[in-house]
Amino acid sequence: MKFMIQAVSEGLTYAKQELTAFLSRYTNVQFESMGDAAVRLYVDENLNNESYLLRGDGQTLEIFGANASAVLCGVYEALADAGVFFEPNGYSIPNGFDLQAFLSICKEVHPKCRLRGIRQHINFPMDISAYPLKDAKEYIYNLARMRMNAITFHSYGGQWHVCNPGEGEYAGNFFYGQRHPIPKDSPLASKLGNREVYCIPEAEMVYDNPKERDAYASYWLNELIAAAKEAYMTVTLSVELPSDDVAATTKMLKDVCDRYPRIDTLELISFECGERCEIELTAENMTEQTRMLLGDAALDENGKLKNDPGFVPYSYGGGIICLKRMLTALEHKADWMPKRGIDLRCGMYITNHDALRMLLPLMRSVLPKEVKMSFLAAHGACAVANSIAAMQLTNEDWQNTMIYSWAEFDGNMYIQQQASAGIYELLSQPKTDSIFGVCINHWRTAENMLALCYAADAAIKVEKPEVFYQKFAAKIGVENAEMFVAACKGMSELDLYCRDNLFNVGFCYVGCWINRKGVTRVRKYKAADLQYAKEQYAVLVETFDVLLSFARTEQSIAFLRLMINRCQCSVIHLNCMLEMALLKDAFEDCEKILDETGTLPEISDEERTILGKAYCEAMMYAMQYLDLYGQMMPDRGSAGNMISYYETLPVYINKLFESYLPQLHTRKIQNSLDAPPIPQEQKK
C-alpha cells in the first residue's frame, strides 16, 4: 500500500516523525513523498482547550488539533485505537495493529484537563534522577505518547540548582546529598548499574568533583527539558524560596532561569507543610501578622481573615511566610525574569485543611492576576481529593490552578500502591468541562503503570476506575476481566488502608527513620493493622497468580508477574515491621534509644532475648525483600528502590537495636546536604 503523511500546518515535524515511525514499525505500508496523502495533520485555531479531531473514511485520515501538542495527541489517539499500547516504560501491540481501523477513526476529543502530566520531584534514587540520560528522555517521550502534555520538574536546593550562586555552592547533590555507595560484598552490586556510587551512570565519573557534577546535573535536566519541548510539552520548573533577603532571592531566581532557559513556567512553591519558616502566631495576633506580611488585600472588607477557624492551623504560618517571599520575588521580577518572558505560578505544598481554606482566598487576593496558582494539598491521591473538596474551589479557581496529586506516595514507597480511586475522586470534582491542569507525582515507573495509564486517560475523559480496568484488561490481553477488575479494585482499597493506617510505613529516606520520630514510629503502628495489610497483600498475590492462567500476551504476563512480585515484597516488608513492633512489648521507653542525653531503661535478660530474636527476624526479612525485589528489574527505578531500601531498613534495624544489643556492628550514618521532611498525615 502506498502511503503519504502530510503535515499541512507548520511546526508539526515531530508529530509526522512519530506517526511515520510507528506505522513503519507495525505495518508494511510503503511510504512516498508525492501524491495524495493518506494522513493529513492540521493545526486548527478555531479549536480551543487543547481539543483535537480525527476524521477517517477508511481511505484517508485527517487529524486536527488546537495546536501542535493537540495534533500530536490526536496522532497517539489514532495509533492507540488501532492497537498500540502506550505506557510509561514503552509501547507494544498486544493484540496486533489494525491499519483499516486506523484510517476509519472518527472522533472529537475535548480534554478535561488542558494541561495534564507528571510532577517529578527528581529527589530519590528510584525516580528518573538516576536514569541514564537516554532512558530518562525516553520516559519523557513515553509520557507524550500517553497524551500527557505537561511536566513539572521540582528542584530542591542543591540538587538541580543552588540557593546562593557564586558562594561556593554547587548543584548535583543528588538525593539530598546522601551518598549511596555500591555494596561490594552484596549480590545487590551486580543489579545496580554503577561501579562505586549509585547515581546517573554518566555522572559517576565526575561524582567526586563538585563543580563538574554541578555542570552535568544542569546538562542532564536541560536535555530532559529539550526532549519535552520536542514533544510539544509545557515544561514547568518548580523551586522553593529559602530566604527573606531580596538580593539573595533575585540572584537565585536569575541563576535558575539562566540555567534552564527553555522552561515555559517558573513555579514558586512553599516548603513542604510550610516547614523551615519561623513565625510566632496566636489566635489573637494571626490577623494582624497576616496583614503586616501581605498587606490590607489579605483581609476582607471588615478587616477579617476569610475562613478564620479561631485558632492557628498547623502550617499556616509557614504558608504565609512563603507567600510573602513569593510576592517579594514577583515585585522584583524585572531583575531576574528572562527577556523572552515566562509564565509564573505560585503554589502551596500544604496538607492541613484549615490552613488551605485560609490560604486559598489569600492567594486569590494578593497574587497578580497573570500569576496562576498551584496546590499539592495532601500526601496521597485520596487525601488530595479530600483536601481539594474541603477548599471548595470555584470554577474560576479551576481555570487558574494546577492541582498536583499522586500515583504513588513516597511515605509508603516500599509497598505496592494503586492510586486510581483517588485520581478519579479528584477529577470528578470540577463540574466544568475544561480545567487548567492536573499533574501526578510518582517515583517508581513500572510499579505504577496502571495508575499512570489511568491518570493519562482520566485527565482527558473522566471515567470510573472499574471501567478503565476492564478496558485495560482487554488492551493488554487478560481474558478474565471480572477477576482483574476485582483485583485492581482490591489493590486500590488496600493502598488507601495503608495510607490511612500505616502512614509512612515505607518512607524512602533513612534520616527520617533514625531520628526520634522514626524510632517511635514502630510504636504507633498497630499489630492488627500490619497483620491485616499483610494478609490482604497475600490475597492479591494469590489472585494475580490465578490471573496468570488468563494472560494471553507478553504484556499481560509481565504485568501480572510484576504485581505478584511486588505484593510478595510488600508482605515481607510488613513482616519486618511486625518484628520491630515487638519493641513496644519489650519496654516502654524505646524512644530513648536515640536520646544521647537520656538514660536507657534497664531491661531483663528475657527482654534482651526477645529483642535479639526480633532483630534477627527483622534483618532476615529485610534481606529477603532485597533478594525478591531484585528478581524482577523492569526498569532503572527498580535498582533505585533496591539501593534505597538497602540504605534505609537494614540501617534503621541496626540503629534501633544497637543500644540493647551492643555486639551489633552498624554502618555509620551519613551526613547529607539536606533532608526531606517527614510527610504529615491528614485523614479527614
Side-chain angles (χ1 to χ4, degrees):
M1 178 181 179
K2 299 293 185 180
F3 208 93
M4 177 183 168
I5 301 172
Q6 181 182 11
V8 178
S9 304
E10 294 183 0
L12 298 178
T13 302
Y14 183 76
K16 179 180 177 180
Q17 171 186 314
E18 280 284 274
L19 181 54
T20 302
F22 279 100
L23 292 176
S24 296
R25 184 182 185 95
Y26 294 129
T27 76
N28 61 359
V29 300
Q30 295 177 298
F31 293 97
E32 55 185 15
S33 57
M34 301 294 290
D36 294 330
V39 182
R40 297 185 183 89
L41 310 177
Y42 303 85
V43 170
D44 184 350
E45 295 180 355
N46 292 317
L47 296 170
N48 55 28
N49 295 336
E50 300 293 326
S51 298
Y52 51 94
L53 312 179
L54 296 89
R55 296 176 181 167
D57 60 10
Q59 299 297 317
T60 61
L61 174 64
E62 294 183 314
I63 300 175
F64 301 82
N67 50 39
S69 176
V71 172
L72 183 63
C73 289
V75 166
Y76 296 135
E77 183 94 27
L79 290 168
D81 279 10
V84 184
F85 171 51
F86 293 115
E87 51 99 354
N89 269 341
Y91 47 84
S92 56
I93 49 168
N95 300 298
F97 187 87
D98 188 336
L99 182 60
Q100 188 60 39
F102 173 81
L103 292 170
S104 302
I105 294 167
C106 285
K107 62 168 61 175
E108 296 185 12
V109 180
H110 305 284
K112 180 76 171 182
C113 301
R114 298 192 293 279
L115 294 183
R116 51 199 182 271
I118 297 299
R119 179 181 176 89
Q120 273 280 348
H121 280 244
I122 44 178
N123 62 332
F124 286 134
M126 63 285 293
D127 67 40
I128 62 168
S129 59
Y131 276 37
L133 181 57
K134 181 177 180 295
D135 291 353
K137 291 172 75 171
E138 192 62 22
Y139 162 85
I140 299 293
Y141 295 136
N142 286 333
L143 296 182
R145 290 165 183 149
M146 295 166 66
R147 298 168 300 158
M148 293 183 174
N149 63 358
I151 188 163
T152 296
F153 297 108
H154 180 70
S155 174
Y156 289 97
Q159 297 206 34
W160 308 97
H161 75 283
V162 294
C163 297
N164 296 292
E167 302 296 326
E169 291 185 13
Y170 294 103
N173 294 283
F174 310 123
F175 322 137
Y176 298 97
Q178 183 188 12
R179 189 183 184 99
H180 290 69
I182 303 300
K184 299 299 184 184
D185 58 345
S186 168
L188 206 65
S190 64
K191 300 178 183 294
L192 296 178
N194 291 88
R195 292 185 177 183
E196 301 292 335
V197 61
Y198 190 81
C199 63
I200 300 167
E202 299 94 326
E204 188 174 0
M205 67 181 69
V206 299
Y207 191 91
D208 291 316
N209 184 318
K211 187 174 181 179
E212 291 187 18
R213 195 173 69 230
D214 173 301
Y216 189 81
S218 294
Y219 167 77
W220 182 90
L221 185 51
N222 269 310
E223 285 292 295
L224 263 61
I225 292 170
K229 298 296 294 179
E230 182 184 12
Y232 313 139
M233 298 177 80
T234 296
V235 179
T236 298
L237 185 67
S238 173
V239 297
E240 302 158 342
L241 300 181
S243 174
D244 292 314
D245 184 270
V246 175
T249 297
T250 297
K251 193 175 181 181
M252 186 195 89
L253 293 178
K254 187 175 189 312
D255 181 66
V256 166
C257 293
D258 288 345
R259 277 179 185 258
Y260 304 108
R262 297 197 64 188
I263 61 172
D264 300 294
T265 304
L266 180 65
E267 178 179 79
L268 310 179
I269 196 163
S270 74
F271 288 104
E272 183 174 344
C273 297
E275 293 197 0
R276 311 184 191 195
C277 297
E278 300 292 333
I279 184 172
E280 294 291 333
L281 289 181
T282 65
E284 292 72 28
N285 74 9
M286 183 165 60
T287 298
E288 180 58 21
Q289 289 284 342
T290 303
R291 187 194 65 77
M292 289 175 62
L293 279 170
L294 304 177
D296 292 337
L299 308 181
D300 65 17
E301 62 275 9
N302 299 313
K304 305 290 186 181
L305 283 171
K306 293 181 180 178
N307 300 329
D308 186 345
F311 58 88
V312 181
Y314 169 72
S315 71
Y316 174 75
I320 59 174
I321 288 290
C322 291
L323 182 55
K324 170 61 176 175
R325 291 178 182 176
M326 296 173 202
L327 292 173
T328 301
L330 294 175
E331 289 170 4
H332 294 83
K333 68 179 181 180
D335 297 326
W336 53 263
M337 173 76 80
K339 289 183 179 179
R340 68 179 177 89
I342 53 176
D343 292 330
L344 298 171
R345 276 206 304 268
C346 290
M348 289 290 159
Y349 189 170
I350 299 289
T351 65
N352 182 278
H353 290 179
D354 292 305
L356 288 167
R357 281 190 285 261
M358 295 182 70
L359 288 165
L360 175 58
L362 279 181
M363 295 173 72
R364 288 183 192 134
S365 299
V366 303
L367 288 176
K369 294 300 181 185
E370 69 275 11
V371 177
K372 287 184 166 53
M373 299 184 293
S374 60
F375 290 97
L376 181 44
H379 293 112
C382 285
V384 163
N386 292 340
S387 287
I388 296 300
M391 291 169 67
Q392 298 182 336
L393 272 64
T394 65
N395 181 53
E396 184 177 358
D397 292 331
W398 285 109
Q399 306 309 322
N400 191 47
T401 305
M402 173 63 76
I403 304 296
Y404 294 120
S405 185
W406 310 71
E408 175 179 43
F409 168 46
D410 52 341
N412 285 6
M413 187 79 77
Y414 298 142
I415 58 178
Q416 181 59 35
Q417 301 179 50
Q418 214 297 83
S420 300
I423 296 169
Y424 171 73
E425 289 178 14
L426 172 66
L427 290 171
S428 298
Q429 289 183 33
K431 302 308 177 186
T432 180
D433 291 335
S434 173
I435 65 174
F436 178 72
V438 170
C439 284
I440 308 295
N441 292 316
H442 82 102
W443 284 265
R444 297 177 299 170
T445 300
E447 288 82 355
N448 296 292
M449 184 257 279
L450 185 67
L452 292 171
C453 287
Y454 174 74
D457 282 7
I460 290 176
K461 181 181 179 181
V462 184
E463 62 182 4
K464 291 183 177 180
E466 291 79 6
V467 175
F468 169 81
Y469 300 150
Q470 190 164 18
K471 293 178 181 177
F472 187 88
K475 189 81 170 178
I476 68 170
V478 179
E479 292 188 343
N480 192 330
E482 183 178 356
M483 182 180 287
F484 184 81
V485 170
C488 294
K489 186 177 179 181
M491 188 161 53
S492 183
E493 291 170 350
L494 181 55
D495 178 18
L496 179 59
Y497 181 88
C498 291
R499 189 269 172 206
D500 285 349
N501 296 282
L502 299 172
F503 192 78
N504 287 339
V505 77
F507 191 43
C508 54
Y509 190 82
V510 66
C512 294
W513 286 86
I514 62 174
N515 62 23
R516 194 162 184 168
K517 289 182 180 179
V519 171
T520 57
R521 181 178 295 132
V522 296
R523 299 183 68 195
K524 181 181 72 172
Y525 301 133
K526 296 177 181 177
D529 290 332
L530 290 165
Q531 185 67 30
Y532 175 80
K534 185 185 83 167
E535 291 171 356
Q536 293 307 303
Y537 277 115
V539 169
L540 286 172
V541 170
E542 293 177 1
T543 305
F544 285 126
D545 191 53
V546 172
L547 279 167
L548 267 177
S549 63
F550 297 97
R552 297 292 180 259
T553 64
E554 178 183 356
Q555 294 77 14
S556 59
I557 292 169
F559 176 78
L560 293 171
R561 289 198 187 281
L562 182 64
M563 291 300 98
I564 291 168
N565 178 279
R566 297 312 192 238
C567 288
Q568 288 173 328
C569 288
S570 301
V571 170
I572 292 171
H573 178 69
L574 293 170
N575 274 329
C576 183
M577 293 290 104
L578 277 164
E579 290 298 329
M580 286 188 281
L582 290 173
L583 282 172
K584 67 182 179 183
D585 298 326
F587 53 87
E588 181 63 26
D589 296 321
C590 69
E591 68 268 20
K592 292 183 179 179
I593 289 176
L594 292 185
D595 188 348
E596 295 179 359
T597 63
T599 301
L600 291 168
E602 293 293 329
I603 62 172
S604 66
D605 289 343
E606 181 181 359
E607 288 172 326
R608 198 177 302 278
T609 300
I610 292 172
L611 291 178
K613 182 176 183 298
Y615 168 81
C616 292
E617 293 291 318
M619 191 62 77
M620 177 194 71
Y621 283 127
M623 294 300 106
Q624 283 183 357
Y625 182 102
L626 289 167
D627 178 66
L628 182 60
Y629 200 97
Q631 291 177 22
M632 291 205 71
M633 304 283 284
D635 59 22
R636 175 72 170 170
S638 301
N641 199 69
M642 289 179 66
I643 191 66
S644 173
Y645 199 89
Y646 176 81
E647 289 288 347
T648 300
L649 262 295
V651 173
Y652 175 52
I653 293 166
N654 275 323
K655 191 66 179 177
L656 201 58
F657 287 91
E658 68 179 352
S659 297
Y660 288 95
L661 303 172
Q663 70 272 26
L664 298 178
H665 300 288
T666 62
R667 298 209 298 269
K668 183 179 179 181
I669 306 301
Q670 301 180 45
N671 294 324
S672 59
L673 174 78
D674 193 8
I678 299 176
Q680 299 295 318
E681 188 170 12
Q682 173 86 46
K683 288 187 179 180
K684 65 181 181 179

